[in-house]
Amino acid sequence: MLTINAAVLLAVIIMVWLRRRTRACSRNDKRLTVLIVLVFGILVAPTAFGQDVLDVVGQ
């Protein structure tokens, strides 16, 4: 059975979402982008990669 990591799937969605932004965006588009990125941050934060990023930013 194929399993997909939710953080990886969300990272792909973020990349596609941000690459298609060539037109003017509405407030709802901006809110959805912020929500998607926040959920991605919550999913990545407890991982080893997230902890390394936190250490680098904290310095």
Side-chain angles (χ1 to χ4, degrees):
M1 179 175 218
L2 178 67
T3 60
I4 298 175
N5 187 346
V8 173
L9 180 62
L10 203 50
V12 171
I13 291 171
I14 290 170
M15 292 302 295
V16 170
W17 183 262
L18 293 178
R19 289 195 65 132
R20 71 171 189 86
R21 313 299 298 173
T22 57
R23 58 177 171 69
C25 56
S26 67
R27 279 188 170 202
N28 288 334
D29 286 344
K30 290 179 183 179
R31 287 180 184 159
L32 182 61
T33 302
V34 168
L35 179 67
I36 290 172
V37 171
L38 282 175
V39 170
F40 178 71
I42 291 170
L43 289 173
V44 171
T47 64
F49 174 73
Q51 294 301 315
D52 291 340
V53 170
L54 181 64
D55 291 339
V56 169
V57 171
Q59 289 180 355

